[in-house]
Amino acid sequence: VCYLSFIYHKLEGLCSFLVYGLLVFFGLNTVNDRQLNYIESAKSINDNNAIYKVHVSNIPSLKRKSTKVEVRILAVREKTGWRNLKCLSAVLYLNSKIRIPKPGDILLVNGRFTNIPPPANPFQFDYKVYQFNTGITKSAYVFNAQKITTLENGKGFAVYRFSSKCQNYLKQVFTEHLRDTVVKATVESLVFGYKDEIPDELTRGYARTGTLHVLAVSGMHVALVFLVLSKILGFIKGFRFSLILKVTVILIAIWMYCIISGLSPSVIRAGFMISFILIGKAINRYANAYNILGITAFLILWYNPFWLLNVGFQLSFAAVLGILVFNEKLLKLYNPENYLLNACWQIISVTLSAQIFTFPLSLYYFNQFPIYFLPANLIIIPLTTLIIYLSLVLLFVNSIPVLNVVFGWLTSKIVVLTNKLV
């Protein structure tokens, strides 16, 4: 029996090694195939002027003097007719005076798609490699509105088109009740991650104080939505399927919020983790946080292995791993009975835990480390949380004459205070 047990454990270890080896081989093979597809697709068109049929694949991003649009090139018109293209993504920069297309639109572009140039200096940020890792190999500039035509407006359900419509509605509500442009831009970034209108100086301020994460929709925002929904749906109890009903409603609402905010890697990570935890509770199963983090990373990288090189992906998973490893240990060091002190210590503990693992990445990517991160997060996180809650209330009372003015004024004042403190 001992001999058979020894053989079994040896075979079990061997099987585990083989499974992990196959997963690594599968991942490397997938990455290699995608890289070859990107390279071959880039060779499929030359740098000459032509007419291209493109599909708007993402929400356009507003820049200072242009609009950045991610597109998928469907076909190019040649002398013999249209030639279809596959796996060819590109970035299209439009003059700010040209009408902004919507996700799902089919456009005819008369222009020249060229390879993205490499960096001029050896230690400069390599924008070409960055775009290649997202599947984009070409770029084009269109300055004349006559050289771009909308062939077909987006039809049917599309995730990014739905996200764009929701964002436009939210922008309209905030524009109506928040007159200050900086305040409006801050609220838009805090609520649904739209950062295109935030002044560069304010962004640098948040970056230098280590609070830039609050301006990008991340796990903290998804967790806040989860907490609000849990409180609101607290009345659902007392019958057989009450827990399943509550979990289902929360899951639908959380993923709707993830879609509205644009499905960034950090948001998807938070959505998956909360989903697994809720499903585990619904079926009365223990949820191991490390396993959940691992399967979440596996599923995201299965969909797009190049997200492993995404800075947001790395920072998000590093921060959560740091919290899982150190947060409980730090909380045990000090247990104040005062409610306010306890809340402050919890923020300090989470912030320190996350910074331990994100510290090397901050130095590597940004060549700086925010030495004010502890007092800044201690002040800014409660204020931004309050802003998010007030903004959500403002959306609900949008049509009520007196309340919308009150909550609009209150939100504006707190946003101004928060920005000044930063």
Side-chain angles (χ1 to χ4, degrees):
V1 170
C2 291
Y3 178 73
L4 290 175
S5 176
F6 173 78
I7 295 295
Y8 170 77
H9 285 298
K10 288 294 183 182
L11 290 175
E12 186 181 30
L14 179 62
C15 289
S16 299
F17 177 77
L18 290 174
V19 169
Y20 289 130
L22 286 173
L23 287 175
V24 171
F25 174 77
F26 173 75
L28 291 174
N29 188 56
T30 304
V31 171
N32 185 58
D33 285 345
R34 288 209 181 194
Q35 285 180 330
L36 291 175
N37 286 332
Y38 295 161
I39 294 170
E40 290 300 319
S41 64
K43 295 177 180 178
S44 61
I45 61 173
N46 52 40
D47 294 345
N48 299 328
N49 279 313
I51 296 177
Y52 298 90
K53 186 187 294 184
V54 303
H55 173 263
V56 180
S57 57
N58 210 328
I59 301 174
S61 178
L62 300 180
K63 304 299 179 183
R64 282 187 176 181
K65 298 180 181 179
S66 63
T67 303
K68 178 186 175 184
V69 185
E70 291 185 15
V71 298
R72 186 164 54 90
I73 303 177
L74 303 177
V76 56
R77 195 166 75 179
E78 298 176 339
K79 293 180 180 179
T80 56
W82 287 98
R83 177 167 62 91
N84 293 329
L85 301 170
K86 293 181 179 180
C87 302
L88 183 54
S89 297
V91 177
L92 186 63
Y93 293 96
L94 306 178
N95 190 309
S96 57
K97 296 180 181 179
I98 298 176
R99 187 189 72 86
I100 301 174
K102 298 177 181 178
D105 287 354
I106 305 295
L107 310 175
L108 284 181
V109 178
N110 186 354
R112 188 163 65 100
F113 280 92
T114 60
N115 292 323
I116 298 174
N121 298 314
F123 296 103
Q124 186 181 348
F125 172 70
D126 198 333
Y127 185 68
K128 181 178 182 179
V129 172
Y130 168 77
Q131 290 289 39
F132 182 83
N133 290 332
T134 62
I136 294 172
T137 54
K138 297 280 185 178
S139 65
Y141 295 83
V142 177
F143 299 99
N144 192 342
Q146 297 177 350
K147 293 195 173 185
I148 185 167
T149 307
T150 302
L151 187 65
E152 181 181 350
N153 290 321
K155 296 179 181 179
F157 178 77
V159 172
Y160 288 113
R161 185 160 61 253
F162 174 75
S163 176
S164 179
K165 287 182 179 179
C166 293
Q167 288 188 11
N168 289 333
Y169 170 74
L170 295 175
K171 289 178 193 175
Q172 181 181 350
V173 173
F174 292 141
T175 301
E176 183 179 352
H177 300 294
L178 306 173
R179 302 304 173 90
D180 188 284
T181 55
V182 177
V183 169
K184 181 178 77 74
T186 306
V187 171
E188 288 174 350
S189 180
L190 286 170
V191 175
F192 56 92
Y194 183 78
K195 303 184 289 293
D196 293 346
E197 298 178 4
I198 294 185
D200 292 339
E201 183 180 354
L202 185 60
T203 303
R204 285 194 295 270
Y206 275 91
R208 288 170 179 167
T209 53
T211 55
L212 187 60
H213 60 92
V214 301
L215 294 181
V217 174
S218 59
M220 184 189 80
H221 298 73
V222 178
L224 290 177
V225 174
F226 165 71
L227 290 174
V228 170
L229 291 172
S230 298
K231 295 292 183 182
I232 294 175
L233 300 175
F235 67 92
I236 302 179
K237 55 184 178 180
F239 56 95
R240 184 176 179 183
F241 299 106
S242 58
L243 181 59
I244 294 176
L245 176 61
K246 184 178 179 180
V247 167
T248 303
V249 173
I250 292 175
L251 285 177
I252 293 172
I254 283 176
W255 281 104
M256 286 286 288
Y257 179 71
C258 291
I259 291 172
I260 291 172
S261 61
L263 291 174
S264 66
S266 59
V267 171
I268 295 175
R269 190 267 311 154
F272 270 128
M273 289 195 69
I274 289 180
S275 298
F276 286 133
I277 291 171
L278 288 175
I279 293 171
K281 286 186 176 180
I283 61 176
N284 198 25
R285 293 293 297 273
Y286 170 72
N288 182 282
Y290 293 100
N291 284 340
I292 290 175
L293 187 65
I295 190 63
T296 300
F298 175 76
L299 291 174
I300 292 175
L301 296 177
W302 190 8
Y303 169 72
N304 186 354
F306 286 102
W307 269 358
L308 182 63
L309 304 175
N310 182 283
V311 179
F313 177 93
Q314 295 176 14
L315 288 172
S316 177
F317 276 86
V320 174
L321 187 59
I323 292 169
L324 292 179
V325 173
F326 293 108
N327 188 46
E328 288 295 327
K329 296 180 177 63
L330 290 176
L331 286 176
K332 291 178 181 179
L333 297 177
Y334 180 53
N335 188 23
E337 296 181 359
N338 183 276
Y339 174 80
L340 185 60
L341 285 177
N342 188 47
C344 291
W345 176 239
Q346 287 185 3
I347 295 176
I348 292 172
S349 175
V350 170
T351 303
L352 281 174
S353 301
Q355 286 291 344
I356 291 172
F357 272 57
T358 57
F359 170 71
L361 293 173
S362 298
L363 291 181
Y364 178 73
Y365 286 115
F366 309 115
N367 302 314
Q368 64 177 14
F369 180 75
I371 59 173
Y372 302 116
F373 75 92
L374 204 54
N377 278 277
L378 195 59
I379 297 171
I380 301 305
I381 286 180
L383 286 174
T384 52
T385 302
L386 180 59
I387 292 170
I388 293 171
Y389 286 150
L390 288 174
S391 302
L392 293 176
V393 174
L394 179 60
L395 292 172
F396 282 110
V397 300
N398 173 44
S399 303
I400 304 176
V402 178
L403 290 178
N404 57 20
V405 174
V406 172
F407 279 97
W409 176 85
L410 188 59
T411 303
S412 298
K413 293 298 181 183
I414 296 177
V415 170
V416 170
L417 172 64
T418 304
N419 288 341
K420 283 184 177 181
L421 287 171
V422 169

